[in-house]
C-alpha cells in the first residue's frame, strides 16, 4: 500500500487541521463540517494527479483547445455518518462521480471497551472495473475500513482502490496494509502516533460524527 501523508509539506491544509482539532473551534459544528469538506477538496486535488487521463479536444468560440481530462469512472463510497462532509468535499471536485454509502459502527456488546464492527447498510452503483474512493474521515484501528471493504468486495472488483481519510493513527495505517490489495493507495491529511486503550486516536480530535452532526444516543 502506498501512503500519501499530505501534511508532510506545509500548506493551508495545516490551518484546517488545526481548527478541527481545536476544542474551542469545535463548538461550531458548521465550521467543523466546512473544514472537513475543505480537507476533502485538498485530498481530492492531490489524488486527481494519480488518475487515468485521456486527451480531449474542446471547442472554444475562437478555436480548439486540447487537454488531458480525467476519465469519469469514479465511485465515491462514504461510511455513514461521519463521512458525509468529507464526501461532499470530494464531490465538489469529482462532480461526475457515482455515489455509494455504507454504514459501519462500533458495537460494544458488554458495554466495555472491547467492540466489534457492524455493517448494516450498503447502497451503491456497480463498482466493477471502476475507480473506487473509499471515504472515512477517521482511520483509528482500521477495523471499520476492513469490515467495509469485506462487505463491498462481494459486489464487484474495482479497477483501482483509493482510501481517503482526514486523520489516522500509525496503528491503523499499519493494520490496513495487511488487509487491502497491495496496489491500494491511502490519501490522508495527517497521521498521529498512537491509540489509547479505547482505540481512539491520540491526540486526535474526538468523535468526528458527533462534532459534525451532534451527539448520538
Amino acid at each position: 500500500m502506498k501512503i500519501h501523508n499530505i501534511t508532510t509539506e506545509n500548506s493551508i491544509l495545516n490551518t484546517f487541521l488545526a481548527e478541527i482539532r481545536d476544542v474551542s473551534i469545535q463548538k461550531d459544528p458548521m465550521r467543523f463540517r466546512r473544514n472537513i469538506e475543505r480537507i476533502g477538496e485538498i485530498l481530492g486535488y492531490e489524488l486527481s494527479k494519480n488518475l487515468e487521463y485521456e486527451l480531449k479536444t474542446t471547442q472554444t468560440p475562437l478555436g480548439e483547445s486540447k487537454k488531458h481530462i480525467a476519465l469519469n469512472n469514479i465511485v465515491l463510497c462514504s461510511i455513514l455518518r461521519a463521512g458525509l462532509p468529507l464526501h461532499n468535499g470530494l464531490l465538489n471536485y469529482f462532480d461526475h462521480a457515482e455515489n455509494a454509502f455504507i454504514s459501519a459502527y462500533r458495537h460494544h456488546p458488554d458495554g466495555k471497551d472491547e467492540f466489534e464492527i457492524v455493517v448494516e447498510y450498503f447502497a451503491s452503483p456497480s463498482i466493477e472495473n471502476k475507480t473506487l474512493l473509499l471515504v472515512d474521515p477517521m482511520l483509528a484501528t482500521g477495523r471499520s475500513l476492513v469490515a467495509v471493504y469485506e462487505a463491498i468486495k462481494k459486489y464487484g472488483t474495482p479497477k483501482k482502490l483509493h482510501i481517503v481519510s482526514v486523520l489516522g493513527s500509525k496503528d491503523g495505517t499499519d493494520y490496513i496494509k495487511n488487509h487491502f490489495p497491495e496496489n491500494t493507495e491511502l490519501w490522508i491529511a495527517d497521521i498521529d502516533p498512537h491509540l489509547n486503550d479505547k482505540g481512539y486516536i491520540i491526540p486526535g480530535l474526538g468523535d468526528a460524527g458527533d462534532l459534525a452532526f451532534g451527539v448520538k444516543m
Side-chain angles (χ1 to χ4, degrees), residues 139-143 168-178 191-196 199-202:
L139 204 173
T141 66
R143 289 169 54 185
S169 72
K170 181 64 167 56
D171 295 326
T173 56
D174 288 344
Y175 181 79
I176 65 172
K177 281 182 184 179
N178 299 320
I191 299 175
D192 283 351
H194 62 277
L195 301 170
N196 65 13
Y200 291 104
I201 302 170
I202 302 298

PDB file of all heavy atoms in Angstrom, residues 139-143 168-178 191-196 199-202:
ATOM      1  N   LEU A 139      -9.304   7.182  10.625  1.00  0.00           N
ATOM      2  CA  LEU A 139      -8.705   5.856  10.491  1.00  0.00           C
ATOM      3  C   LEU A 139      -8.023   5.540  11.819  1.00  0.00           C
ATOM      4  O   LEU A 139      -6.837   5.797  11.985  1.00  0.00           O
ATOM      5  CB  LEU A 139      -7.707   5.849   9.332  1.00  0.00           C
ATOM      6  CG  LEU A 139      -7.370   4.533   8.651  1.00  0.00           C
ATOM      7  CD1 LEU A 139      -6.487   4.783   7.430  1.00  0.00           C
ATOM      8  CD2 LEU A 139      -6.672   3.559   9.590  1.00  0.00           C
ATOM      9  N   ALA A 140      -8.797   5.019  12.760  1.00  0.00           N
ATOM     10  CA  ALA A 140      -8.273   4.758  14.098  1.00  0.00           C
ATOM     11  C   ALA A 140      -7.620   3.372  14.154  1.00  0.00           C
ATOM     12  O   ALA A 140      -6.430   3.228  13.911  1.00  0.00           O
ATOM     13  CB  ALA A 140      -9.391   4.880  15.132  1.00  0.00           C
ATOM     14  N   THR A 141      -8.408   2.347  14.443  1.00  0.00           N
ATOM     15  CA  THR A 141      -7.859   0.979  14.468  1.00  0.00           C
ATOM     16  C   THR A 141      -7.738   0.399  13.072  1.00  0.00           C
ATOM     17  O   THR A 141      -6.965  -0.530  12.846  1.00  0.00           O
ATOM     18  CB  THR A 141      -8.762   0.049  15.299  1.00  0.00           C
ATOM     19  OG1 THR A 141     -10.031  -0.090  14.643  1.00  0.00           O
ATOM     20  CG2 THR A 141      -8.972   0.605  16.701  1.00  0.00           C
ATOM     21  N   GLY A 142      -8.510   0.924  12.135  1.00  0.00           N
ATOM     22  CA  GLY A 142      -8.536   0.374  10.785  1.00  0.00           C
ATOM     23  C   GLY A 142      -9.544  -0.738  10.598  1.00  0.00           C
ATOM     24  O   GLY A 142      -9.810  -1.182   9.479  1.00  0.00           O
ATOM     25  N   ARG A 143     -10.161  -1.190  11.691  1.00  0.00           N
ATOM     26  CA  ARG A 143     -11.088  -2.326  11.610  1.00  0.00           C
ATOM     27  C   ARG A 143     -12.376  -1.984  10.857  1.00  0.00           C
ATOM     28  O   ARG A 143     -12.934  -2.821  10.152  1.00  0.00           O
ATOM     29  CB  ARG A 143     -11.400  -2.841  13.016  1.00  0.00           C
ATOM     30  CG  ARG A 143     -10.226  -3.565  13.659  1.00  0.00           C
ATOM     31  CD  ARG A 143     -10.434  -3.840  15.131  1.00  0.00           C
ATOM     32  NE  ARG A 143     -11.680  -4.563  15.393  1.00  0.00           N
ATOM     33  CZ  ARG A 143     -12.130  -4.835  16.610  1.00  0.00           C
ATOM     34  NH1 ARG A 143     -11.430  -4.429  17.682  1.00  0.00           N
ATOM     35  NH2 ARG A 143     -13.248  -5.503  16.776  1.00  0.00           N
ATOM     36  N   GLY A 168      -5.558   9.742  10.856  1.00  0.00           N
ATOM     37  CA  GLY A 168      -5.370   8.337  11.192  1.00  0.00           C
ATOM     38  C   GLY A 168      -4.338   8.160  12.277  1.00  0.00           C
ATOM     39  O   GLY A 168      -3.692   9.114  12.722  1.00  0.00           O
ATOM     40  N   SER A 169      -4.198   6.927  12.688  1.00  0.00           N
ATOM     41  CA  SER A 169      -3.153   6.565  13.645  1.00  0.00           C
ATOM     42  C   SER A 169      -2.133   5.671  12.939  1.00  0.00           C
ATOM     43  O   SER A 169      -2.446   5.020  11.934  1.00  0.00           O
ATOM     44  CB  SER A 169      -3.736   5.804  14.836  1.00  0.00           C
ATOM     45  OG  SER A 169      -4.128   4.492  14.448  1.00  0.00           O
ATOM     46  N   LYS A 170      -0.936   5.629  13.477  1.00  0.00           N
ATOM     47  CA  LYS A 170       0.092   4.735  12.923  1.00  0.00           C
ATOM     48  C   LYS A 170      -0.375   3.287  13.031  1.00  0.00           C
ATOM     49  O   LYS A 170      -0.167   2.490  12.118  1.00  0.00           O
ATOM     50  CB  LYS A 170       1.400   4.943  13.689  1.00  0.00           C
ATOM     51  CG  LYS A 170       2.564   4.104  13.199  1.00  0.00           C
ATOM     52  CD  LYS A 170       2.959   4.461  11.779  1.00  0.00           C
ATOM     53  CE  LYS A 170       4.315   3.871  11.390  1.00  0.00           C
ATOM     54  NZ  LYS A 170       4.404   2.420  11.549  1.00  0.00           N
ATOM     55  N   ASP A 171      -1.049   2.945  14.137  1.00  0.00           N
ATOM     56  CA  ASP A 171      -1.556   1.578  14.302  1.00  0.00           C
ATOM     57  C   ASP A 171      -2.567   1.244  13.210  1.00  0.00           C
ATOM     58  O   ASP A 171      -2.569   0.145  12.650  1.00  0.00           O
ATOM     59  CB  ASP A 171      -2.226   1.425  15.671  1.00  0.00           C
ATOM     60  CG  ASP A 171      -1.242   1.578  16.814  1.00  0.00           C
ATOM     61  OD1 ASP A 171      -0.083   1.170  16.648  1.00  0.00           O
ATOM     62  OD2 ASP A 171      -1.633   2.109  17.863  1.00  0.00           O
ATOM     63  N   GLY A 172      -3.461   2.196  12.916  1.00  0.00           N
ATOM     64  CA  GLY A 172      -4.485   1.964  11.913  1.00  0.00           C
ATOM     65  C   GLY A 172      -3.921   1.790  10.520  1.00  0.00           C
ATOM     66  O   GLY A 172      -4.345   0.902   9.768  1.00  0.00           O
ATOM     67  N   THR A 173      -2.971   2.639  10.143  1.00  0.00           N
ATOM     68  CA  THR A 173      -2.379   2.523   8.811  1.00  0.00           C
ATOM     69  C   THR A 173      -1.597   1.222   8.671  1.00  0.00           C
ATOM     70  O   THR A 173      -1.622   0.589   7.615  1.00  0.00           O
ATOM     71  CB  THR A 173      -1.468   3.726   8.498  1.00  0.00           C
ATOM     72  OG1 THR A 173      -0.457   3.848   9.507  1.00  0.00           O
ATOM     73  CG2 THR A 173      -2.275   5.020   8.451  1.00  0.00           C
ATOM     74  N   ASP A 174      -0.926   0.804   9.737  1.00  0.00           N
ATOM     75  CA  ASP A 174      -0.206  -0.472   9.703  1.00  0.00           C
ATOM     76  C   ASP A 174      -1.182  -1.638   9.546  1.00  0.00           C
ATOM     77  O   ASP A 174      -0.908  -2.606   8.823  1.00  0.00           O
ATOM     78  CB  ASP A 174       0.610  -0.662  10.980  1.00  0.00           C
ATOM     79  CG  ASP A 174       1.826   0.252  11.042  1.00  0.00           C
ATOM     80  OD1 ASP A 174       2.207   0.812   9.985  1.00  0.00           O
ATOM     81  OD2 ASP A 174       2.396   0.414  12.138  1.00  0.00           O
ATOM     82  N   TYR A 175      -2.336  -1.535  10.213  1.00  0.00           N
ATOM     83  CA  TYR A 175      -3.326  -2.619  10.175  1.00  0.00           C
ATOM     84  C   TYR A 175      -3.912  -2.792   8.775  1.00  0.00           C
ATOM     85  O   TYR A 175      -4.011  -3.921   8.268  1.00  0.00           O
ATOM     86  CB  TYR A 175      -4.439  -2.322  11.178  1.00  0.00           C
ATOM     87  CG  TYR A 175      -5.506  -3.390  11.253  1.00  0.00           C
ATOM     88  CD1 TYR A 175      -5.288  -4.575  11.963  1.00  0.00           C
ATOM     89  CD2 TYR A 175      -6.741  -3.226  10.615  1.00  0.00           C
ATOM     90  CE1 TYR A 175      -6.272  -5.558  12.037  1.00  0.00           C
ATOM     91  CE2 TYR A 175      -7.721  -4.207  10.676  1.00  0.00           C
ATOM     92  CZ  TYR A 175      -7.485  -5.359  11.398  1.00  0.00           C
ATOM     93  OH  TYR A 175      -8.449  -6.333  11.457  1.00  0.00           O
ATOM     94  N   ILE A 176      -4.303  -1.698   8.128  1.00  0.00           N
ATOM     95  CA  ILE A 176      -4.961  -1.845   6.827  1.00  0.00           C
ATOM     96  C   ILE A 176      -3.990  -2.280   5.732  1.00  0.00           C
ATOM     97  O   ILE A 176      -4.416  -2.829   4.708  1.00  0.00           O
ATOM     98  CB  ILE A 176      -5.711  -0.562   6.406  1.00  0.00           C
ATOM     99  CG1 ILE A 176      -4.738   0.600   6.181  1.00  0.00           C
ATOM    100  CG2 ILE A 176      -6.770  -0.189   7.433  1.00  0.00           C
ATOM    101  CD1 ILE A 176      -5.414   1.827   5.566  1.00  0.00           C
ATOM    102  N   LYS A 177      -2.710  -2.049   5.949  1.00  0.00           N
ATOM    103  CA  LYS A 177      -1.722  -2.513   4.968  1.00  0.00           C
ATOM    104  C   LYS A 177      -1.835  -4.014   4.735  1.00  0.00           C
ATOM    105  O   LYS A 177      -1.587  -4.500   3.626  1.00  0.00           O
ATOM    106  CB  LYS A 177      -0.295  -2.189   5.444  1.00  0.00           C
ATOM    107  CG  LYS A 177       0.143  -0.763   5.246  1.00  0.00           C
ATOM    108  CD  LYS A 177       1.581  -0.612   5.714  1.00  0.00           C
ATOM    109  CE  LYS A 177       2.053   0.820   5.638  1.00  0.00           C
ATOM    110  NZ  LYS A 177       3.449   0.972   6.122  1.00  0.00           N
ATOM    111  N   ASN A 178      -2.203  -4.745   5.784  1.00  0.00           N
ATOM    112  CA  ASN A 178      -2.252  -6.203   5.706  1.00  0.00           C
ATOM    113  C   ASN A 178      -3.593  -6.738   5.225  1.00  0.00           C
ATOM    114  O   ASN A 178      -3.754  -7.955   5.100  1.00  0.00           O
ATOM    115  CB  ASN A 178      -1.934  -6.798   7.082  1.00  0.00           C
ATOM    116  CG  ASN A 178      -0.557  -6.422   7.577  1.00  0.00           C
ATOM    117  OD1 ASN A 178       0.399  -6.403   6.806  1.00  0.00           O
ATOM    118  ND2 ASN A 178      -0.433  -6.112   8.862  1.00  0.00           N
ATOM    119  N   ILE A 191      -1.290  11.840  10.194  1.00  0.00           N
ATOM    120  CA  ILE A 191      -1.219  10.571  10.923  1.00  0.00           C
ATOM    121  C   ILE A 191      -0.660  10.837  12.310  1.00  0.00           C
ATOM    122  O   ILE A 191       0.441  11.387  12.451  1.00  0.00           O
ATOM    123  CB  ILE A 191      -0.336   9.544  10.190  1.00  0.00           C
ATOM    124  CG1 ILE A 191      -0.914   9.245   8.800  1.00  0.00           C
ATOM    125  CG2 ILE A 191      -0.215   8.264  10.998  1.00  0.00           C
ATOM    126  CD1 ILE A 191      -0.035   8.334   7.950  1.00  0.00           C
ATOM    127  N   ASP A 192      -1.418  10.464  13.337  1.00  0.00           N
ATOM    128  CA  ASP A 192      -0.999  10.632  14.726  1.00  0.00           C
ATOM    129  C   ASP A 192      -0.281   9.375  15.222  1.00  0.00           C
ATOM    130  O   ASP A 192      -0.455   8.282  14.664  1.00  0.00           O
ATOM    131  CB  ASP A 192      -2.210  10.940  15.610  1.00  0.00           C
ATOM    132  CG  ASP A 192      -2.672  12.386  15.469  1.00  0.00           C
ATOM    133  OD1 ASP A 192      -1.960  13.170  14.824  1.00  0.00           O
ATOM    134  OD2 ASP A 192      -3.744  12.733  15.998  1.00  0.00           O
ATOM    135  N   PRO A 193       0.503   9.502  16.313  1.00  0.00           N
ATOM    136  CA  PRO A 193       1.410   8.414  16.697  1.00  0.00           C
ATOM    137  C   PRO A 193       0.762   7.155  17.255  1.00  0.00           C
ATOM    138  O   PRO A 193       1.272   6.050  17.043  1.00  0.00           O
ATOM    139  CB  PRO A 193       2.331   9.061  17.740  1.00  0.00           C
ATOM    140  CG  PRO A 193       1.573  10.246  18.251  1.00  0.00           C
ATOM    141  CD  PRO A 193       0.758  10.736  17.105  1.00  0.00           C
ATOM    142  N   HIS A 194      -0.362   7.264  17.988  1.00  0.00           N
ATOM    143  CA  HIS A 194      -0.858   6.046  18.622  1.00  0.00           C
ATOM    144  C   HIS A 194      -2.332   6.148  18.989  1.00  0.00           C
ATOM    145  O   HIS A 194      -2.974   7.186  18.800  1.00  0.00           O
ATOM    146  CB  HIS A 194      -0.030   5.725  19.875  1.00  0.00           C
ATOM    147  CG  HIS A 194      -0.101   6.780  20.943  1.00  0.00           C
ATOM    148  ND1 HIS A 194       0.688   7.901  20.933  1.00  0.00           N
ATOM    149  CD2 HIS A 194      -0.888   6.884  22.048  1.00  0.00           C
ATOM    150  CE1 HIS A 194       0.411   8.645  21.981  1.00  0.00           C
ATOM    151  NE2 HIS A 194      -0.552   8.062  22.673  1.00  0.00           N
ATOM    152  N   LEU A 195      -2.862   5.051  19.549  1.00  0.00           N
ATOM    153  CA  LEU A 195      -4.229   4.968  20.042  1.00  0.00           C
ATOM    154  C   LEU A 195      -4.217   4.838  21.558  1.00  0.00           C
ATOM    155  O   LEU A 195      -3.241   4.356  22.146  1.00  0.00           O
ATOM    156  CB  LEU A 195      -4.935   3.729  19.453  1.00  0.00           C
ATOM    157  CG  LEU A 195      -5.048   3.638  17.936  1.00  0.00           C
ATOM    158  CD1 LEU A 195      -5.544   2.251  17.538  1.00  0.00           C
ATOM    159  CD2 LEU A 195      -5.983   4.708  17.402  1.00  0.00           C
ATOM    160  N   ASN A 196      -5.342   5.246  22.204  1.00  0.00           N
ATOM    161  CA  ASN A 196      -5.451   4.979  23.640  1.00  0.00           C
ATOM    162  C   ASN A 196      -6.070   3.594  23.859  1.00  0.00           C
ATOM    163  O   ASN A 196      -6.304   2.842  22.899  1.00  0.00           O
ATOM    164  CB  ASN A 196      -6.255   6.075  24.349  1.00  0.00           C
ATOM    165  CG  ASN A 196      -7.715   6.130  23.892  1.00  0.00           C
ATOM    166  OD1 ASN A 196      -8.222   5.231  23.222  1.00  0.00           O
ATOM    167  ND2 ASN A 196      -8.401   7.192  24.264  1.00  0.00           N
ATOM    168  N   GLY A 199      -9.102   2.627  21.823  1.00  0.00           N
ATOM    169  CA  GLY A 199      -8.998   2.614  20.375  1.00  0.00           C
ATOM    170  C   GLY A 199      -9.255   3.951  19.725  1.00  0.00           C
ATOM    171  O   GLY A 199      -9.611   4.005  18.544  1.00  0.00           O
ATOM    172  N   TYR A 200      -9.067   5.067  20.451  1.00  0.00           N
ATOM    173  CA  TYR A 200      -9.239   6.397  19.883  1.00  0.00           C
ATOM    174  C   TYR A 200      -7.875   7.029  19.592  1.00  0.00           C
ATOM    175  O   TYR A 200      -6.910   6.825  20.337  1.00  0.00           O
ATOM    176  CB  TYR A 200     -10.044   7.286  20.823  1.00  0.00           C
ATOM    177  CG  TYR A 200     -11.494   6.875  20.938  1.00  0.00           C
ATOM    178  CD1 TYR A 200     -11.968   6.202  22.059  1.00  0.00           C
ATOM    179  CD2 TYR A 200     -12.396   7.134  19.902  1.00  0.00           C
ATOM    180  CE1 TYR A 200     -13.297   5.803  22.157  1.00  0.00           C
ATOM    181  CE2 TYR A 200     -13.729   6.748  19.990  1.00  0.00           C
ATOM    182  CZ  TYR A 200     -14.161   6.079  21.118  1.00  0.00           C
ATOM    183  OH  TYR A 200     -15.469   5.678  21.200  1.00  0.00           O
ATOM    184  N   ILE A 201      -7.833   7.824  18.529  1.00  0.00           N
ATOM    185  CA  ILE A 201      -6.582   8.418  18.082  1.00  0.00           C
ATOM    186  C   ILE A 201      -6.108   9.473  19.075  1.00  0.00           C
ATOM    187  O   ILE A 201      -6.889  10.307  19.530  1.00  0.00           O
ATOM    188  CB  ILE A 201      -6.763   9.050  16.690  1.00  0.00           C
ATOM    189  CG1 ILE A 201      -7.248   8.003  15.676  1.00  0.00           C
ATOM    190  CG2 ILE A 201      -5.465   9.685  16.201  1.00  0.00           C
ATOM    191  CD1 ILE A 201      -7.676   8.595  14.344  1.00  0.00           C
ATOM    192  N   ILE A 202      -4.810   9.438  19.394  1.00  0.00           N
ATOM    193  CA  ILE A 202      -4.182  10.410  20.292  1.00  0.00           C
ATOM    194  C   ILE A 202      -3.086  11.150  19.527  1.00  0.00           C
ATOM    195  O   ILE A 202      -2.209  10.510  18.941  1.00  0.00           O
ATOM    196  CB  ILE A 202      -3.586   9.706  21.528  1.00  0.00           C
ATOM    197  CG1 ILE A 202      -4.666   8.923  22.285  1.00  0.00           C
ATOM    198  CG2 ILE A 202      -2.917  10.717  22.457  1.00  0.00           C
ATOM    199  CD1 ILE A 202      -5.791   9.759  22.830  1.00  0.00           C
TER     200      ILE A 202
END
